[in-house]
Amino acid sequence: MPLASLTDIKSRSGTEVGVSGWIAIDQERIDRFADATDDRQFIHVDPEAAAQTLFGGTIAHGFLSLSLVPRLAAEAMLIPDGMKMVINYGLDRVRFLAPVRSGSRVRGRFTLDSVEEKAPGQVLMRHSVAVEIEGEDKPALSAVWLALVVL
């Protein structure tokens, strides 16, 4: 995660702070997620049956795309110098907007909404996140992600 001073990070509130690199969403990744979650709906794991749907093939689980947010943030989210750890504090307003077809690539776009001191040595950072699909107009999802940074 890119490091910056807390003062610098606070000054970036309301601006885009980073965009991650692309991650491939192939059928193997989708199948592994299906195995991990016991969600084997045919639109995710059966290419022949999924080809007969409006998607034209298999698609990633919405929660697979959402689960990648911390990985995408590792490249894009600013973290204060002196950080001891970051704790996933939760999500607000998650919306799944477009399917991620098998073989696609996704990336995260992060805008820092606010930085709030919750307790001495604890800072709550609120980011708007869009998980974009390469070559698509609509993002896969949008969410507000809360991260508690322990200094």
Side-chain angles (χ1 to χ4, degrees):
M1 293 182 172
L3 297 175
S5 73
L6 188 55
T7 302
D8 289 343
I9 292 171
K10 286 180 179 180
S11 75
R12 300 278 311 268
S13 289
T15 67
E16 184 176 288
V17 293
V19 179
S20 75
W22 294 103
I23 296 178
I25 306 298
D26 57 17
Q27 191 60 48
E28 181 182 353
R29 184 184 295 264
I30 294 168
D31 290 344
R32 287 193 327 255
F33 190 84
D35 289 343
T37 60
D38 287 333
D39 181 354
R40 294 182 185 86
Q41 186 177 168
F42 78 95
I43 60 172
H44 305 304
V45 298
D46 185 340
E48 289 180 20
Q52 304 306 311
T53 70
L54 61 107
F55 302 119
T58 56
I59 61 170
H61 306 72
F63 283 117
L64 168 55
S65 300
L66 184 62
S67 74
L68 294 172
V69 168
R71 160 61 177 81
L72 299 169
E75 295 179 26
M77 191 173 112
L78 297 173
I79 294 298
D81 293 325
M83 171 203 73
K84 293 180 182 171
M85 69 177 156
V86 178
I87 300 166
N88 185 356
Y89 201 73
L91 294 151
D92 289 334
R93 298 189 311 251
V94 177
R95 297 292 181 268
F96 299 107
L97 303 171
V100 177
R101 290 173 174 77
S102 178
S104 298
R105 295 193 322 160
V106 298
R107 71 178 177 187
R109 184 172 299 274
F110 294 81
T111 298
L112 178 62
D113 296 332
S114 64
V115 179
E116 171 190 350
E117 187 172 346
K118 294 296 282 182
Q122 296 182 8
V123 178
L124 182 65
M125 298 175 67
R126 181 181 306 268
H127 288 84
S128 292
V129 181
V131 174
E132 300 175 332
I133 308 165
E134 188 174 36
E136 300 284 334
D137 293 331
K138 275 183 152 180
L141 67 89
S142 67
V144 175
W145 186 39
L146 308 172
L148 185 66
V149 179
V150 178
L151 303 170

